[in-house]
Amino acid sequence: MIEIKNINKTFGDRHVVKNISFSFYPGKTNLIIGESGCGKTTILKLMVGLHEVDSGDVLFDGANFPKLDVKQKQEIRKQIGMLFQGGALFDSQTVEENVRFPLDMFTNMTKAEKAERVNFCLKRVQLEGRNDLYPAELSGGMKKRAALARAIANNPRYLFCDEPNSGLDPKTSIVIDDLIKDITEEYNITTIIITHDMNSVIEIGENIMFVYKGENWWTGDKTQILGTDNKELSDFVFASEFMKTFFRKK
């Protein structure tokens, strides 16, 4: 479980994150949604320590991350998997080498153990046998799946996904959503997803925070979001082409 409590962040005279509190639960797909520039990515960076909070707490299973020393923070970072917006695979490395990277960085596993873990993760994301391919040889969806395999290689307790469906077609996006949800439930991971994709929100949004102008403006789940009387959330939800098409079909 991850909890953020009254976190704040300013950049110069811009108050980007304003006294936000929220709880992210293990085994659930926890979503942060909102318009571009509302503070979503800053919240993620505050949680993983890429930015320092001005005030407030970030609790990883009770451990207050901002107040830990360097060694203690490193121990928590070893338990974090990251799925970046563009995949962020190393172009000069094969799929196998990319997935093995966190194992090389953070474990003392033998070569054989690493190979076994890599193959397990690739099979889990439906990329079995693609070990020797390079990122340039992969489709967009395959790149995201390879990046997801790398994110789970070290068996993380916490998984952060920044716009995992960015640049993907709707069919491939559903595959990525289903994989993330299945892996989250299967391994009881605390998964945090930043997304603009309303299809993802409607399909896998089990615990949602809507951020508006740096504030936690609404919380709920996918069953509540369509009936909301929150004007700003409603404007955001029904601005998407997916939702317009969804309701035309109704």
Side-chain angles (χ1 to χ4, degrees):
M1 181 176 182
I2 303 176
E3 299 169 273
I4 52 177
K5 296 185 177 182
N6 306 115
I7 61 171
N8 286 275
K9 185 65 181 177
T10 58
F11 296 99
D13 60 355
R14 294 174 54 238
H15 196 173
V16 178
V17 176
K18 304 175 183 176
N19 207 42
I20 285 185
S21 298
F22 194 64
S23 295
F24 304 89
Y25 299 103
K28 292 183 178 295
T29 43
N30 304 276
L31 274 57
I32 304 175
I33 66 172
E35 298 175 352
S36 297
C38 71
K40 302 186 304 296
T41 299
T42 300
I43 293 168
L44 184 149
K45 290 180 177 180
L46 291 170
M47 293 173 71
V48 299
L50 294 177
H51 292 321
E52 294 291 333
V53 296
D54 294 339
S55 61
D57 301 317
V58 180
L59 305 173
F60 284 78
D61 291 306
N64 196 350
F65 190 82
K67 296 182 179 179
L68 300 179
D69 62 31
V70 173
K71 185 176 180 180
Q72 290 170 322
K73 287 181 178 179
Q74 183 68 7
E75 288 303 310
I76 287 182
R77 288 193 175 110
K78 289 179 182 179
Q79 302 176 66
I80 293 175
M82 293 289 300
L83 178 57
F84 299 97
Q85 183 171 342
L89 297 174
F90 300 114
D91 292 334
S92 62
Q93 295 186 355
T94 64
V95 167
E96 178 170 326
E97 290 168 336
N98 269 281
V99 177
R100 197 179 65 225
F101 180 77
L103 303 178
D104 292 336
M105 285 285 291
F106 298 121
T107 77
N108 296 315
M109 296 169 70
T110 66
K111 185 176 180 180
E113 288 170 336
K114 290 176 184 177
E116 183 179 359
R117 180 63 184 172
V118 167
N119 287 330
F120 172 84
C121 292
L122 288 176
K123 184 177 181 179
R124 189 64 189 78
V125 301
Q126 302 164 22
L127 282 179
E128 190 174 11
R130 310 299 174 92
N131 304 52
D132 296 329
L133 295 181
Y134 285 87
E137 301 175 276
L138 304 178
S139 67
M142 291 169 71
K143 287 179 182 178
K144 287 292 177 72
R145 283 186 278 150
L148 180 57
R150 182 178 63 185
I152 65 171
N154 205 23
N155 197 23
R157 294 178 67 179
Y158 318 103
L159 177 62
F160 291 84
C161 306
D162 187 9
E163 297 287 354
N165 293 332
S166 177
L168 300 180
D169 63 81
K171 185 176 180 180
T172 305
S173 295
I174 291 171
V175 172
I176 299 299
D177 282 344
D178 288 344
L179 277 171
I180 292 173
K181 187 174 188 300
D182 289 347
I183 288 168
T184 296
E185 292 177 350
E186 185 174 348
Y187 303 109
N188 201 38
I189 299 172
T190 301
T191 296
I192 296 95
I193 304 167
I194 290 179
T195 186
H196 288 99
D197 188 341
M198 286 310 303
N199 182 60
S200 297
V201 175
I202 298 304
E203 292 297 326
I204 66 169
E206 297 177 295
N207 184 37
I208 305 168
M209 173 172 62
F210 171 61
V211 179
Y212 180 72
K213 294 184 177 180
E215 298 182 52
N216 181 349
W217 208 249
W218 179 92
T219 60
D221 62 31
K222 62 183 182 181
T223 65
Q224 300 166 321
I225 200 166
L226 297 181
T228 181
D229 58 1
N230 184 301
K231 181 183 183 304
E232 290 77 16
L233 175 59
S234 183
D235 289 346
F236 171 77
V237 169
F238 293 102
S240 77
E241 288 302 316
F242 167 77
M243 294 306 297
K244 291 175 183 176
T245 303
F246 180 83
F247 276 93
R248 277 200 297 269
K249 290 180 179 179
K250 294 286 185 180

